[in-house]
Amino acid sequence: MAPHAHHKYSVLLPTYNERENLPIITWLLVKAFKENELDFEIIIIDDASPDGTLEVAKQLQREFGEDRIVLRPRAGKLGLGTAYVHGIQNATGDFVFIMDADMSHHPKFIPEFIKKQKEKNYDVVTGTRYALGGAVYGWDLRRKLTSRVANFLADTLLTPGVSDLTGSFRLYKKDVLAAMIRATKSKGYVFQMEMMVRARQMNFSIGEVPITFVDRVFGESKLGPSEIVGYLKGMWDIFCDI
């Protein structure tokens, strides 16, 4: 494959208690980028994880180099939206991937995102679990129903025109991501949903790539009852705002 030296891809990885997952996802990311001859950096935004995630990140930086692993820790758990703001301020790539650090998003799909983006010069490419070819593994029936209902309600109320509104594996043009973050008001889990609504509102083009989502192997899910209530409230707030 010919080198893609004219583009650089920054990966934003917000972390909180991911010491077991971080080395694996980092190795898989490095492998995916190098095998496809892509220029890249991985920006780790750790929110003062008590499990020592930052110390693991420092070891990875020594292993792969400061030009590839960029550490931008924060003083506490400050939310997903502000983590992306913090990360993009330090990103040197012209494209930005956002994804979860818990290995639910496999880096093997990265070439598919890039291929899709190039097809029509999309501003945003989002991974979808719910289009043909997408799938979810490792969730029980309750979690699957929760996700499906959340997407159905959001699609009905907000009509964003994407099949997986709550997904968080995406590729953005850097300037597009910066503009969308400035327009987005939500925090936490609602943030990803509002980003797609704002993208349509701002007339950015969106492509979709089917992905396989696998539930985390190590650590505990951060989605609980309070997050679900917050999601429903946030969805209503967005509906009233648009």
Side-chain angles (χ1 to χ4, degrees), residues 59-223:
Q59 294 176 29
L60 293 168
Q61 187 180 60
R62 288 193 290 270
E63 175 68 23
F64 295 109
E66 294 184 7
D67 59 328
R68 298 301 188 192
I69 309 298
V70 180
L71 307 184
R72 292 294 180 264
R74 303 193 296 174
K77 200 173 181 182
L78 303 174
L80 189 61
T82 58
Y84 290 139
V85 171
H86 189 62
I88 201 172
Q89 288 172 346
N90 295 279
T92 60
D94 51 329
F95 285 90
V96 177
F97 275 99
I98 65 169
M99 61 191 300
D100 294 342
D102 62 6
M103 295 192 299
S104 56
H105 301 144
H106 201 296
K108 69 181 180 182
F109 294 107
I110 280 175
E112 295 300 315
F113 277 76
I114 294 171
K115 179 182 177 183
K116 172 60 71 173
Q117 191 282 323
K118 290 177 182 294
E119 280 180 11
K120 295 185 179 180
N121 193 28
Y122 286 111
D123 296 311
V124 184
V125 177
T126 182
T128 174
R129 298 162 286 184
Y130 303 129
L132 183 64
V136 175
Y137 293 101
W139 278 1
D140 59 19
L141 182 60
R142 183 189 67 84
R143 187 78 187 271
K144 287 181 179 179
L145 283 173
T146 300
S147 179
R148 283 289 195 176
V149 170
N151 271 282
F152 174 77
L153 289 173
D155 189 57
T156 302
L157 277 176
L158 307 174
T159 60
V162 294
S163 62
D164 190 351
L165 193 56
T166 58
S168 54
F169 191 0
R170 294 175 182 157
L171 171 63
Y172 295 88
K173 292 178 179 177
K174 182 182 176 182
D175 57 341
V176 167
L177 178 58
M180 288 171 61
I181 286 176
R182 287 194 296 270
T184 300
K185 302 173 183 178
S186 304
K187 308 295 180 187
Y189 288 92
V190 185
F191 179 83
Q192 302 291 8
M193 176 176 62
E194 186 181 351
M195 288 281 278
M196 290 296 95
V197 175
R198 299 299 178 193
R200 288 297 186 200
Q201 209 175 38
M202 299 166 78
N203 294 315
F204 291 131
S205 57
I206 306 173
E208 290 191 310
V209 170
I211 63 166
T212 301
F213 178 97
V214 181
D215 197 20
R216 61 166 57 243
V217 177
F218 299 110
E220 297 181 355
S221 171
K222 300 170 182 70
L223 180 64

